[in-house]
Amino acid sequence: MGIIIAIDGPAGSGKSTTARLVADQLGYVYIDTGAMYRAVTLAAIRRGIAFTNRALGVLVKTINIQLEQSPNGQRTLLDGIDVSKEIRMPEITKHVSEVSASPEVREAMVHEQRRIGKKGGVVMDGRDIGTVVFPHADLKVFMTASIDIRAERRAEELQSKGIVTSASDIAIEIEERDNLDSNRATSPLIKAPDARILDTTSLSLQEQSDMIKNWAMEIINKTSNNKDI
Ligand code: DC
């Protein structure tokens, strides 16, 4: 058991690293929902499928995406094969917003995300977790940061994986993706009215995760006190 923590925000706001740390500290499961949209994009590219809602709708019914917990973090399996590395390639990043705008793709992914998270004890990050996937999540956080700092963080993250790109190129890509993710018709990236805003521009990873962990502990304690009465 445990509460549901929804973390949304734009690319590079620090969601995944922070969410993983919070999950570790609370003994919760961390779910990176972006990985699922990336796996669909990988499958579409491999099969040469057009990014139309119709074609993608057929595709999602024929593929199997699983998220597995491992000591090194979440592993993403596409039809039983580990594609955790492949889904981070620039080619996938370039097309993922287009694929994730498909209502059919979203419906299938949201269904799976609800199945995984409904029992609680999860920290789930994405773009629509607090608005669509779990609108009644116990704690909702909307993470933001300046575009410059987001681009710098992404560049460092990619460099650590051996992919070299400049922060200025990444800033352009991030802004394009923000634009597509925030303006699509189905479940755009928006802050849920009851989400707490966490601007991470000048915060360290430790400060970010402590902040969310403290908010979570307040809610967890309140819930258990209410049960005791
Ligand atoms: O978090 P990320 O950068 O790995 O996400 C990749 C893309 O997937 C992102 O640009 C938009 C999409 N996405 C989404 O539409 N809804 C989510 N819950 C998570 C990701």
Side-chain angles (χ1 to χ4, degrees):
M1 276 292 280
I3 65 168
I4 296 178
I5 303 176
I7 303 186
D8 291 303
S13 54
K15 295 186 305 290
S16 53
T17 335
T18 313
R20 197 178 312 130
L21 213 61
V22 172
D24 282 352
Q25 288 172 342
L26 295 175
Y28 279 18
V29 174
Y30 162 60
I31 308 288
D32 164 13
T33 62
M36 299 173 81
Y37 292 96
R38 287 173 178 273
V40 178
T41 309
L42 177 68
I45 291 174
R46 280 186 175 167
R47 297 189 190 187
I49 284 165
F51 298 153
T52 61
N53 187 40
R54 201 185 168 125
L56 291 168
V58 175
L59 174 73
V60 288
K61 289 190 180 73
T62 65
I63 56 174
N64 178 28
I65 296 170
Q66 284 169 284
L67 302 180
E68 263 187 17
Q69 306 305 318
S70 83
N72 303 325
Q74 176 182 282
R75 291 201 315 149
T76 307
L77 308 186
L78 174 60
D79 293 330
I81 295 170
D82 187 348
V83 292
S84 310
K85 272 212 183 102
E86 288 85 337
I87 59 169
R88 303 289 156 197
M89 298 302 285
E91 174 73 357
I92 305 301
T93 305
K94 193 170 155 199
H95 295 292
V96 66
S97 288
E98 219 178 319
V99 171
S100 60
S102 153
E104 295 252 10
V105 170
R106 302 206 69 81
E107 195 186 318
M109 297 304 114
V110 168
H111 182 265
E112 182 60 11
Q113 289 154 14
R114 286 184 179 146
R115 190 190 65 75
I116 301 172
K118 68 178 179 212
K119 287 201 185 116
V122 288
V123 184
M124 197 173 273
D125 92 40
R127 303 293 189 285
D128 60 342
I129 311 303
T131 50
V132 176
V133 182
F134 289 116
H136 303 296
D138 304 279
L139 171 61
K140 298 181 188 178
V141 181
F142 191 84
M143 289 181 66
T144 59
S146 73
I147 181 74
D148 290 344
I149 202 87
R150 290 196 280 136
E152 256 172 52
R153 284 180 189 158
R154 265 286 147 115
E156 275 171 24
E157 190 187 327
L158 288 172
Q159 265 159 26
S160 72
K161 290 177 184 155
I163 304 170
V164 180
T165 12
S166 72
S168 56
D169 282 350
I170 293 181
I172 296 169
E173 176 241 296
I174 283 183
E175 279 188 318
E176 261 173 35
R177 213 139 60 90
D178 280 358
N179 200 12
L180 287 171
D181 294 344
S182 308
N183 293 304
R184 67 181 174 221
T186 312
S187 336
L189 167 67
I190 42 165
K191 184 187 109 42
D194 52 348
R196 304 178 196 213
I197 295 181
L198 185 57
D199 185 335
T200 66
T201 306
S202 46
L203 295 183
S204 69
L205 183 57
Q206 194 61 49
E207 287 169 327
Q208 286 158 217
S209 64
D210 281 351
M211 200 91 167
I212 299 179
K213 196 188 72 189
N214 292 340
W215 286 334
M217 286 313 297
E218 265 172 38
I219 295 167
I220 293 167
N221 290 336
K222 220 185 262 169
T223 318
S224 62
N225 285 344
N226 285 347
K227 274 196 198 126
D228 293 344
I229 296 168

